[in-house]
Each structure stands twice: as C-alpha cells, then as structure tokens.
Amino acid sequence: FHAFWADEPGLVAGLAGKWLHRPVIVSSAGGEFVYLPDIQYGTSGSRFRRAVVRLALQLADVATAGSRYQEDLCLIQRVPAERVKRLPLGVETDHFGTAPLPAGPLTMVQAGSLIPVKNQRLLIAILARVRAQIPDAQLLVAGKGPLWATLVQQAEGMQIAGAINWLGEIAYPDMPAVYAQAHLYVQTSRHESQGMAVLEAMACGRPVVGTPVGVARELALLPDTMNPAGFAHKITQLWSDQVLLRQKSKQASAMVQEHYALSRVVECFNDLYVRVKALK
C-alpha cells in the first residue's frame, strides 16, 4: 500500500498493511509535520491529528519526502533514518520544456492558490521594492483563492496594481506558456513539502528566488534576509547581470531534467516498491 499524506491516508494504509501483511509506504505531501498558528495552517495544531500522523509513521515500512526540507521534518517525528527516503514527485519535462527568456521588462511569476500559507502579501511587497529600482518590473500571478480581494487592495495601496497581472486559475496544459512570459519565479511560501510549481518553472528555464522551504531550500537563490528588501536585492542583483541570469536559466532546466524528470522518478518509485516488497 502506498499512501499520499501521512495523516488519515497513511493511517488507513498502515492499518490495512498490518492486517493483510502487506508492506506500506507513506509519502508526506503537505503540512502534516507543521503548524503555523497565526494562519491556522498545518496538522500539528491538533493533538488528535498529531497522534494520527505518529501512528501512521510507526506503521509504515518506508516514509518518503519530496525535499530535503520535508525529510528533516519527517526525521523530527522520530522516524528512524533508515526508514526515511527522499523521493520527490516528478515533472513532465516533455510538457514543461526550456523556453527562451523573453524580451522586455523584468517579469516575475508565481503560481499558487491565494491563501495565507503561500504568503502573497510578501510577494506584493517584494514587487514594490523591486520597482523602486526597476520601475517597469512586472508580476504575473497564476491562481485563485479567498485572499484575492485583500491582495488587490494591498497592491492598490502600494500603488503597484497596474504592474500585476492576476491571471486567475490556469489549466495545467497552459502553464508552460505562463512561465515562458517571465524571467524568474518567486516563491514566498511559509511552507511547502516539495513545491511542484517551482520545479515546473525551473524545467522551463526560470531561475527561482524563494523562501527556504520545500525544494527551494536546496535549489533556489535564497535571499540573505526573508523580507521584501532581501528578496528585492537578490532579484535586482540577478537582473543586473544578464549573463548570470542566462546561466542560472540553463542550470535550472538541467537540474530538473537530471533529477526530477517524471520518467526518472517513476523508476525510483518502482525500485522502492521492489525493495519494500522484499521486506514482507
């Protein structure tokens, strides 16, 4: 049995595996190991759900994580290191292929639901800081959610509303065209177990400037300080060196092709299934 999410799905898989004497893999794929009280995000805020996660991990033969960041959080749950494996979900690199960087003004992009954990309030503040140095800088935001009106109001208050293109929900097949319009991807999330949008953007050749959560912790350009000024400095620094920008673009695409391509990830999961099956 292979459960995605280490809470209720993991517990059901673990109990079924114990009953039927089958091996069990549990993949943590969200906020199972965290709790951000100010935005009420994460499973760990509930004693009951913490117990569910703890039992699910105890019953699992292997626990997988999609990033080194999530792997570390899993180890904090006292899962023995030999039972934890970093194994990310894969990107369809045939669909998300490298696209030339566009001409025109600096354009940043982010894709994600407009919800507190994605922290688009920080994203808008970053844009304001960047435009103080690069007045024609633009931002594309793909996604919808309950914070849209609040975020628009924030942008209007900072007098940068005209620099943001709110794209709304974009169908999966159309996302490569969105990334192709931008020069770099900006992640502002407070938590990501992995970060598929980051990897998709990188597959399209877009460097990432981001918060140290999910795969961004190991793959992105990390600001010295996680505030608007720190992000703006990193972004303007990259934009001012077009040779470096193109170098980072090539590196981003090559990294995803080598380590996160869907075909490679499928092979890794198949190898894990064979190995885990031998345990029973």
Side-chain angles (χ1 to χ4, degrees):
F1 294 100
H2 187 175
F4 286 88
W5 283 280
D7 42 24
E8 290 87 350
L11 179 59
V12 170
L15 293 173
K18 188 173 183 63
W19 182 34
L20 297 173
H21 304 288
R22 299 287 184 90
V24 173
I25 299 170
V26 170
S27 293
S28 57
E32 301 99 315
F33 307 145
V34 299
Y35 180 57
L36 306 176
D38 58 318
I39 58 173
Q40 296 292 296
Y41 175 85
T43 296
S44 293
S46 161
R47 180 181 298 179
F48 171 75
R49 298 194 74 197
R50 287 199 304 269
V52 167
V53 170
R54 185 164 55 249
L55 182 54
L57 293 174
Q58 289 173 354
L59 292 170
D61 295 285
V62 174
T64 75
S67 64
R68 186 173 288 114
Y69 163 83
Q70 188 76 349
E71 181 182 15
D72 288 346
L73 292 177
C74 188
L75 291 170
I76 291 172
Q77 302 296 313
R78 299 182 180 178
V79 181
E82 64 272 14
R83 287 171 45 206
V84 179
K85 181 172 179 59
R86 181 152 37 95
L87 212 172
L89 303 181
V91 177
E92 291 186 277
T93 50
D94 290 340
H95 183 58
F96 292 93
T98 306
L101 294 175
L106 167 63
T107 302
M108 300 170 285
V109 64
Q110 186 181 112
S113 300
L114 307 181
I115 55 177
V117 73
K118 300 297 184 180
N119 201 13
Q120 282 97 2
R121 290 182 63 85
L122 173 59
L123 180 65
I124 293 172
I126 291 167
L127 175 63
R129 284 277 189 162
V130 170
R131 281 177 65 86
Q133 301 179 60
I134 307 173
D136 58 354
Q138 306 288 312
L139 173 65
L140 305 175
V141 181
K144 66 177 184 178
L147 292 184
W148 178 80
T150 300
L151 294 169
V152 169
Q153 186 177 30
Q154 178 190 353
E156 290 173 347
M158 301 181 102
Q159 299 182 335
I160 56 171
I164 305 176
N165 189 352
W166 302 95
L167 302 175
E169 187 174 15
I170 302 295
Y172 177 77
D174 298 329
M175 282 305 301
V178 172
Y179 297 130
Q181 298 174 53
H183 298 92
L184 56 89
Y185 187 96
V186 181
Q187 172 179 283
T188 52
S189 300
R190 294 179 60 182
H191 171 76
E192 295 282 353
S193 60
Q194 180 172 324
M196 290 302 299
V198 164
L199 293 174
E200 291 167 358
M202 289 180 63
C204 293
R206 272 51 194 170
V208 176
V209 178
T211 48
V213 296
V215 293
R217 193 183 80 174
E218 53 207 270
L219 302 180
L221 300 166
L222 303 178
D224 294 332
T225 55
M226 294 298 147
N227 57 28
F231 272 84
H233 176 72
K234 183 66 69 174
I235 290 167
T236 55
Q237 187 180 49
L238 182 60
W239 181 248
S240 67
D241 189 340
Q242 291 291 304
V243 173
L244 179 63
L245 176 64
R246 282 164 173 74
Q247 178 186 342
K248 293 298 183 183
S249 171
K250 292 179 181 178
Q251 289 175 350
S253 178
M255 176 65 71
V256 175
Q257 287 282 352
E258 182 176 358
H259 297 288
Y260 297 91
L262 187 59
S263 57
R264 173 179 173 79
V265 169
V266 167
E267 290 179 2
C268 290
F269 271 109
N270 280 333
D271 289 345
L272 179 62
Y273 293 156
V274 171
R275 182 166 65 85
V276 172
K277 187 179 178 180
L279 297 175
K280 298 294 182 179

